Protein backbone atom coordinates (compact mmCIF):
# COMPACT_ATOMS: atom_id res chain seq x y z
CA UNK A 1 0.00 0.00 0.00
CA UNK A 2 1.30 3.47 -0.90
CA UNK A 3 0.71 6.18 1.72
CA UNK A 4 1.69 9.85 2.02
CA UNK A 5 1.54 11.20 5.56
CA UNK A 6 2.32 14.82 6.44
CA UNK A 7 2.77 14.87 10.26
CA UNK A 8 2.36 18.59 10.85
CA UNK A 9 2.73 20.11 14.29
CA UNK A 10 -0.99 20.98 14.25
CA UNK A 11 -2.67 18.41 12.00
CA UNK A 12 -1.81 15.06 10.49
CA UNK A 13 -2.76 14.83 6.81
CA UNK A 14 -2.69 11.39 5.20
CA UNK A 15 -3.49 10.13 1.69
CA UNK A 16 -3.46 6.69 0.13
CA UNK A 17 -2.94 5.76 -3.50
CA UNK A 18 -6.50 4.38 -3.41
CA UNK A 19 -7.96 7.80 -2.62
CA UNK A 20 -8.63 7.51 1.13
CA UNK A 21 -7.92 10.46 3.41
CA UNK A 22 -7.28 10.87 7.13
CA UNK A 23 -7.12 14.20 8.92
CA UNK A 24 -6.87 14.80 12.66
CA UNK A 25 -5.11 17.09 15.19
CA UNK A 26 -1.49 16.17 15.95
CA UNK A 27 -2.33 15.36 19.55
CA UNK A 28 -1.57 12.13 21.40
CA UNK A 29 -1.41 11.33 25.10
CA UNK A 30 -1.49 8.21 27.29
CA UNK A 31 -5.16 7.55 27.99
CA UNK A 32 -6.27 8.98 31.34
CA UNK A 33 -8.02 6.68 33.76
CA UNK A 34 -11.67 6.28 32.78
CA UNK A 35 -14.86 5.49 34.64
CA UNK A 36 -17.14 2.67 33.46
CA UNK A 37 -20.41 4.29 32.39
CA UNK A 38 -22.19 1.05 31.61
CA UNK A 39 -22.32 1.59 27.86
CA UNK A 40 -23.33 5.24 28.06
CA UNK A 41 -19.79 6.49 27.48
CA UNK A 42 -18.23 7.25 24.12
CA UNK A 43 -15.16 5.18 23.27
CA UNK A 44 -12.25 7.51 22.52
CA UNK A 45 -9.26 5.25 23.16
CA UNK A 46 -6.79 4.06 20.51
CA UNK A 47 -4.42 1.24 21.40
CA UNK A 48 -0.96 0.67 19.94
CA UNK A 49 0.36 -2.79 20.84
CA UNK A 50 -2.28 -2.89 23.61
CA UNK A 51 -1.12 0.43 25.15
CA UNK A 52 -4.05 2.88 25.35
CA UNK A 53 -3.81 6.45 24.02
CA UNK A 54 -6.16 9.29 23.25
CA UNK A 55 -5.47 10.68 19.78
CA UNK A 56 -6.61 13.70 17.80
CA UNK A 57 -9.73 15.50 19.04
CA UNK A 58 -10.05 13.03 21.91
CA UNK A 59 -6.73 14.29 23.26
CA UNK A 60 -7.41 18.03 22.95
CA UNK A 61 -8.10 18.58 26.66
CA UNK A 62 -5.06 16.66 27.93
CA UNK A 63 -2.33 16.75 25.26
CA UNK A 64 0.05 19.51 24.26
CA UNK A 65 0.73 20.19 20.57
CA UNK A 66 3.85 18.43 19.31
CA UNK A 67 6.98 20.53 19.13
CA UNK A 68 10.06 18.51 18.48
CA UNK A 69 13.06 19.80 16.58
CA UNK A 70 14.09 16.21 15.88
CA UNK A 71 11.21 14.10 14.65
CA UNK A 72 13.37 10.98 14.39
CA UNK A 73 13.55 10.70 18.18
CA UNK A 74 10.01 11.94 18.82
CA UNK A 75 8.07 8.77 19.57
CA UNK A 76 4.74 10.61 19.54
CA UNK A 77 5.33 11.70 15.93
CA UNK A 78 6.08 8.10 14.95
CA UNK A 79 2.92 6.90 16.71
CA UNK A 80 0.75 9.52 15.00
CA UNK A 81 2.07 8.44 11.60
CA UNK A 82 1.29 4.82 12.50
CA UNK A 83 -2.26 5.69 13.60
CA UNK A 84 -2.82 7.70 10.40
CA UNK A 85 -1.77 4.68 8.34
CA UNK A 86 -4.22 2.50 10.25
CA UNK A 87 -6.99 5.06 9.71
CA UNK A 88 -6.36 4.72 5.97
CA UNK A 89 -6.92 0.98 6.20
CA UNK A 90 -3.28 -0.05 5.86
CA UNK A 91 -2.33 -3.58 6.81
CA UNK A 92 0.92 -5.45 6.41
CA UNK A 93 3.87 -3.80 4.64
CA UNK A 94 3.43 -0.15 3.69
CA UNK A 95 5.43 2.13 1.39
CA UNK A 96 5.48 5.56 3.03
CA UNK A 97 6.30 9.07 1.86
CA UNK A 98 6.55 11.84 4.46
CA UNK A 99 8.23 15.23 4.86
CA UNK A 100 10.33 17.56 7.02
CA UNK A 101 10.65 21.36 7.23
CA UNK A 102 13.24 22.74 4.84
CA UNK A 103 15.60 23.96 7.56
CA UNK A 104 15.68 20.49 9.18
CA UNK A 105 15.59 18.35 6.07
CA UNK A 106 19.30 18.11 5.32
CA UNK A 107 20.33 17.24 8.86
CA UNK A 108 17.44 14.98 9.80
CA UNK A 109 16.11 13.16 6.75
CA UNK A 110 18.42 10.14 7.11
CA UNK A 111 17.65 9.63 10.81
CA UNK A 112 13.91 10.19 10.26
CA UNK A 113 13.89 7.65 7.44
CA UNK A 114 15.76 5.09 9.57
CA UNK A 115 13.45 5.65 12.54
CA UNK A 116 10.38 4.98 10.39
CA UNK A 117 11.68 2.11 8.29
CA UNK A 118 10.54 -1.09 9.96
CA UNK A 119 8.48 0.81 12.55
CA UNK A 120 5.04 -0.69 13.07
CA UNK A 121 2.61 -2.28 15.46
CA UNK A 122 -0.92 -3.47 16.04
CA UNK A 123 -3.32 -0.54 16.08
CA UNK A 124 -6.94 -0.53 17.20
CA UNK A 125 -8.38 2.92 16.54
CA UNK A 126 -11.17 4.60 18.47
CA UNK A 127 -13.59 3.92 15.62
CA UNK A 128 -12.85 0.20 15.69
CA UNK A 129 -10.29 -0.21 12.89
CA UNK A 130 -7.91 -3.09 13.73
CA UNK A 131 -4.70 -3.56 11.80
CA UNK A 132 -1.17 -4.86 12.04
CA UNK A 133 1.20 -2.86 9.82
CA UNK A 134 4.78 -1.72 9.37
CA UNK A 135 6.66 0.67 7.10
CA UNK A 136 8.59 -1.42 4.64
CA UNK A 137 10.14 1.53 2.78
CA UNK A 138 10.24 5.26 3.52
CA UNK A 139 10.72 8.34 1.33
CA UNK A 140 11.36 11.68 3.09
CA UNK A 141 10.82 14.89 1.12
CA UNK A 142 11.37 18.58 1.94
CA UNK A 143 8.25 20.57 2.69
CA UNK A 144 7.55 23.34 0.21
CA UNK A 145 9.36 21.42 -2.52
CA UNK A 146 6.76 18.66 -2.14
CA UNK A 147 3.96 21.23 -2.17
CA UNK A 148 5.16 23.05 -5.28
CA UNK A 149 4.68 20.11 -7.64
CA UNK A 150 0.92 19.51 -7.41
CA UNK A 151 0.28 23.28 -7.38
CA UNK A 152 2.50 24.68 -10.13
CA UNK A 153 1.97 21.74 -12.48
CA UNK A 154 -1.38 23.31 -13.32
CA UNK A 155 -1.75 25.12 -16.65
CA UNK A 156 -3.19 28.02 -14.65
CA UNK A 157 0.38 29.01 -13.71
CA UNK A 158 2.38 30.63 -16.51
CA UNK A 159 6.12 29.95 -16.86
CA UNK A 160 8.27 32.12 -14.60
CA UNK A 161 9.35 32.56 -10.97
CA UNK A 162 7.09 31.88 -7.99
CA UNK A 163 7.66 32.02 -4.26
CA UNK A 164 6.03 29.03 -2.54
CA UNK A 165 5.30 29.76 1.13
CA UNK A 166 4.07 26.90 3.33
CA UNK A 167 2.53 28.29 6.53
CA UNK A 168 2.38 25.54 9.11
CA UNK A 169 1.91 25.46 12.85
CA UNK A 170 5.46 25.95 14.12
CA UNK A 171 7.35 26.69 10.92
CA UNK A 172 6.83 28.58 7.68
CA UNK A 173 8.83 27.10 4.79
CA UNK A 174 9.63 29.08 1.67
CA UNK A 175 11.33 28.32 -1.64
CA UNK A 176 11.77 30.13 -4.94
CA UNK A 177 10.54 27.98 -7.82
CA UNK A 178 11.03 28.62 -11.54
CA UNK A 179 8.54 27.08 -13.93
CA UNK A 180 10.19 26.59 -17.31
CA UNK A 181 8.39 27.04 -20.66
CA UNK A 182 8.24 23.23 -20.92
CA UNK A 183 6.52 22.97 -17.53
CA UNK A 184 9.47 21.67 -15.53
CA UNK A 185 10.11 23.06 -12.05
CA UNK A 186 13.52 24.33 -10.97
CA UNK A 187 14.13 24.98 -7.27
CA UNK A 188 16.51 27.67 -5.97
CA UNK A 189 18.41 26.27 -2.97
CA UNK A 190 19.83 29.75 -2.28
CA UNK A 191 16.33 31.17 -1.81
CA UNK A 192 14.86 28.54 0.50
CA UNK A 193 14.53 27.98 4.21
CA UNK A 194 12.27 27.95 7.25
CA UNK A 195 11.03 30.61 9.64
CA UNK A 196 10.22 29.34 13.12
CA UNK A 197 6.87 31.04 13.01
CA UNK A 198 3.38 29.84 12.18
CA UNK A 199 -0.17 29.33 13.39
CA UNK A 200 0.96 28.31 16.86
CA UNK A 201 1.86 31.96 17.38
CA UNK A 202 -1.78 32.84 16.70
CA UNK A 203 -3.20 30.20 19.01
CA UNK A 204 -0.75 30.71 21.86
CA UNK A 205 -1.29 34.46 21.60
CA UNK A 206 -5.06 34.03 21.96
CA UNK A 207 -4.64 31.55 24.84
CA UNK A 208 -2.24 33.84 26.71
CA UNK A 209 -4.56 36.82 26.22
CA UNK A 210 -7.58 34.90 27.54
CA UNK A 211 -5.61 33.51 30.48
CA UNK A 212 -4.46 36.99 31.48
CA UNK A 213 -7.89 38.60 31.00
CA UNK A 214 -10.06 36.00 32.75
CA UNK A 215 -7.56 34.48 35.21
CA UNK A 216 -8.25 30.90 34.14
CA UNK A 217 -5.82 28.81 32.15
CA UNK A 218 -6.32 28.29 28.41
CA UNK A 219 -4.05 26.32 26.10
CA UNK A 220 -3.26 26.83 22.43
CA UNK A 221 -4.94 23.51 21.60
CA UNK A 222 -8.17 24.62 23.29
CA UNK A 223 -8.58 27.73 21.15
CA UNK A 224 -7.21 26.36 17.87
CA UNK A 225 -10.53 25.57 16.19
CA UNK A 226 -13.23 27.49 18.10
CA UNK A 227 -14.82 30.92 17.72
CA UNK A 228 -15.78 31.19 21.39
CA UNK A 229 -14.87 29.87 24.83
CA UNK A 230 -16.82 29.41 28.05
CA UNK A 231 -15.74 31.36 31.14
CA UNK A 232 -17.76 31.02 34.36
CA UNK A 233 -21.07 30.47 32.62
CA UNK A 234 -20.61 33.03 29.84
CA UNK A 235 -19.72 32.43 26.20
CA UNK A 236 -16.87 34.71 25.10
CA UNK A 237 -16.45 35.42 21.38
CA UNK A 238 -12.78 35.28 20.31
CA UNK A 239 -13.08 36.01 16.58
CA UNK A 240 -11.72 39.55 16.94
CA UNK A 241 -8.75 38.29 18.97
CA UNK A 242 -8.07 35.65 16.32
CA UNK A 243 -8.13 38.25 13.52
CA UNK A 244 -5.70 40.48 15.41
CA UNK A 245 -3.22 37.69 16.06
CA UNK A 246 -3.50 36.38 12.49
CA UNK A 247 -2.71 39.83 11.09
CA UNK A 248 0.23 40.20 13.49
CA UNK A 249 1.62 36.78 12.53
CA UNK A 250 1.16 37.39 8.81
CA UNK A 251 3.09 40.67 9.07
CA UNK A 252 5.86 38.90 10.99
CA UNK A 253 6.09 36.19 8.30
CA UNK A 254 6.34 38.78 5.52
CA UNK A 255 8.97 40.68 7.51
CA UNK A 256 10.98 37.47 7.94
CA UNK A 257 10.72 36.71 4.22
CA UNK A 258 11.83 40.23 3.30
CA UNK A 259 14.86 39.91 5.57
CA UNK A 260 15.83 36.62 3.91
CA UNK A 261 14.93 37.37 0.27
CA UNK A 262 15.01 41.18 -0.05
CA UNK A 263 14.32 42.30 -3.65
CA UNK A 264 13.49 38.75 -4.82
CA UNK A 265 10.14 39.12 -3.06
CA UNK A 266 9.14 41.72 -5.67
CA UNK A 267 10.34 39.74 -8.68
CA UNK A 268 7.90 36.84 -8.80
CA UNK A 269 4.69 36.16 -10.68
CA UNK A 270 3.02 35.23 -7.43
CA UNK A 271 3.43 34.21 -3.82
CA UNK A 272 1.83 30.76 -3.66
CA UNK A 273 0.50 30.29 -0.12
CA UNK A 274 -0.03 26.69 1.01
CA UNK A 275 -0.34 24.93 4.36
CA UNK A 276 -2.91 25.10 7.12
CA UNK A 277 -2.14 28.76 7.81
CA UNK A 278 -2.10 29.93 4.19
CA UNK A 279 -5.31 31.92 4.65
CA UNK A 280 -3.59 34.49 6.88
CA UNK A 281 -1.44 35.63 3.94
CA UNK A 282 -4.37 35.99 1.52
CA UNK A 283 -5.38 39.54 2.64
CA UNK A 284 -1.85 40.88 2.04
CA UNK A 285 -2.34 41.61 -1.67
CA UNK A 286 -3.32 40.42 -5.13
CA UNK A 287 0.10 38.83 -5.57
CA UNK A 288 -0.84 36.13 -3.01
CA UNK A 289 -2.24 32.99 -4.66
CA UNK A 290 -4.04 30.40 -2.54
CA UNK A 291 -4.60 27.20 -4.54
CA UNK A 292 -7.43 24.73 -3.86
CA UNK A 293 -6.89 22.53 -0.79
CA UNK A 294 -3.72 24.35 0.31
CA UNK A 295 -3.45 22.33 3.53
CA UNK A 296 -3.06 19.13 1.52
CA UNK A 297 -0.36 20.35 -0.87
CA UNK A 298 2.58 18.64 0.87
CA UNK A 299 0.74 15.33 1.26
CA UNK A 300 -0.36 15.43 -2.38
CA UNK A 301 3.20 16.13 -3.49
CA UNK A 302 4.55 13.29 -1.35
CA UNK A 303 2.02 10.86 -2.80
CA UNK A 304 2.79 11.93 -6.38
CA UNK A 305 6.51 11.40 -5.77
CA UNK A 306 5.90 7.99 -4.20
CA UNK A 307 3.67 6.85 -7.08
CA UNK A 308 6.26 8.04 -9.61
CA UNK A 309 9.00 6.20 -7.71
CA UNK A 310 6.91 3.04 -7.61
CA UNK A 311 6.33 3.25 -11.36
CA UNK A 312 10.10 3.36 -11.91
CA UNK A 313 10.54 0.32 -9.66
CA UNK A 314 7.86 -1.60 -11.55
CA UNK A 315 9.52 -0.68 -14.84
CA UNK A 316 12.86 -1.92 -13.54
CA UNK A 317 11.35 -5.24 -12.46
CA UNK A 318 9.77 -5.53 -15.88
CA UNK A 319 13.16 -5.20 -17.54
CA UNK A 320 12.85 -1.56 -18.65
CA UNK A 321 15.10 0.82 -16.74
CA UNK A 322 18.05 -0.13 -14.55
CA UNK A 323 18.61 2.10 -11.51
CA UNK A 324 22.05 3.56 -10.80
CA UNK A 325 23.91 1.80 -7.99
Amino acid sequence: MLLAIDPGHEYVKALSSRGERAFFPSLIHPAPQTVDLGGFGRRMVTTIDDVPYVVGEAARRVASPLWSRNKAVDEDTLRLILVAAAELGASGPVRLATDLPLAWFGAQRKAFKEALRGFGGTVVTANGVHSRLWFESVMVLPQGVAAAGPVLDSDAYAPGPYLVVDVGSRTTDYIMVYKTPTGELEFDEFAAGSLELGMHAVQSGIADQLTKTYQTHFTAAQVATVDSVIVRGSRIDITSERAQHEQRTARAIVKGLMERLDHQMDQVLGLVAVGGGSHILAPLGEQVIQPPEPQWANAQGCLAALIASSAVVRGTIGGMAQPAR
Side-chain angles (χ1 to χ4, degrees):
M1 191 170 184
L2 307 183
L3 302 183
I5 301 177
D6 176 14
H9 286 114
E10 186 170 4
Y11 285 98
V12 176
K13 288 80 65 178
L15 297 171
S16 81
S17 55
R18 302 185 305 205
E20 298 96 339
R21 290 189 174 195
F23 180 82
F24 55 88
S26 299
L27 299 170
I28 185 169
H29 194 275
Q33 185 176 357
T34 59
V35 175
D36 187 351
L37 299 181
F40 289 92
R42 182 164 57 93
R43 174 179 168 78
M44 296 187 294
V45 174
T46 293
T47 63
I48 302 174
D49 291 336
D50 296 324
V51 179
Y53 296 90
V54 283
V55 178
E57 287 294 342
R60 194 171 288 283
R61 287 184 296 174
V62 294
S64 298
L66 297 186
W67 180 220
S68 172
R69 293 177 183 271
N70 190 340
K71 289 192 175 185
V73 298
D74 183 4
E75 294 184 356
D76 281 343
T77 293
L78 303 185
R79 293 186 186 107
L80 285 171
I81 293 174
L82 189 67
V83 172
E87 291 279 4
L88 290 175
S91 181
V94 172
R95 298 193 66 191
L96 172 69
T98 187
D99 53 17
L100 284 169
L102 284 171
W104 305 350
F105 177 75
Q108 297 184 20
R109 61 175 172 171
K110 182 178 179 181
F112 194 35
K113 180 176 181 177
E114 291 176 350
L116 282 165
R117 190 165 51 195
F119 182 75
T122 300
V123 181
V124 182
T125 68
N127 57 10
V129 175
H130 186 292
S131 63
R132 166 68 181 168
L133 64 114
W134 63 94
F135 300 117
E136 182 180 54
S137 66
V138 179
M139 173 187 291
V140 181
L141 297 172
Q143 291 176 6
V145 173
V151 174
L152 295 179
D153 275 347
S154 168
D155 291 337
Y157 295 88
Y162 294 86
L163 179 63
V164 176
V165 181
D166 179 9
V167 185
S169 176
R170 299 279 188 165
T171 61
T172 293
D173 295 299
Y174 61 92
I175 186 165
M176 193 72 69
V177 184
Y178 297 87
K179 184 173 183 178
T180 70
T182 58
E184 296 175 333
L185 301 182
E186 298 176 351
F187 300 91
D188 187 351
E189 62 190 53
F190 298 107
S194 301
L195 305 173
E196 291 200 3
L197 183 66
M199 292 304 293
H200 184 73
V202 175
Q203 295 148 11
S204 60
I206 296 171
D208 291 346
Q209 185 175 342
L210 291 173
T211 297
K212 182 177 180 180
T213 301
Y214 297 103
Q215 299 297 301
T216 184
H217 182 65
F218 284 94
T219 67
Q222 278 181 285
V223 302
T225 61
V226 297
D227 292 330
S228 64
V229 295
I230 305 297
V231 179
R232 303 182 188 95
S234 297
R235 186 176 297 277
I236 309 298
D237 185 279
I238 62 171
T239 54
S240 62
E241 287 84 354
R242 186 177 304 283
Q244 293 170 11
H245 286 283
E246 286 183 349
Q247 292 169 8
R248 185 177 304 163
T249 301
R251 289 195 296 268
I253 289 172
V254 172
K255 181 175 182 291
L257 292 173
M258 289 291 294
E259 291 172 350
R260 302 281 187 93
L261 299 172
D262 196 18
H263 61 275
Q264 293 182 81
M265 284 279 290
D266 299 321
Q267 299 174 6
V268 295
L269 289 175
L271 187 156
V272 183
V274 298
S278 59
H279 64 281
I280 72 172
L281 298 182
L284 297 180
E286 294 181 0
Q287 191 183 24
V288 178
I289 304 167
Q290 191 177 19
E293 297 192 305
Q295 195 165 22
W296 289 89
N298 278 307
Q300 290 168 343
C302 286
L303 184 61
L306 185 58
I307 291 172
S309 173
S310 298
V312 170
V313 171
R314 286 195 300 270
T316 301
I317 294 174
M320 294 173 62
Q322 292 298 322
R325 297 186 182 278

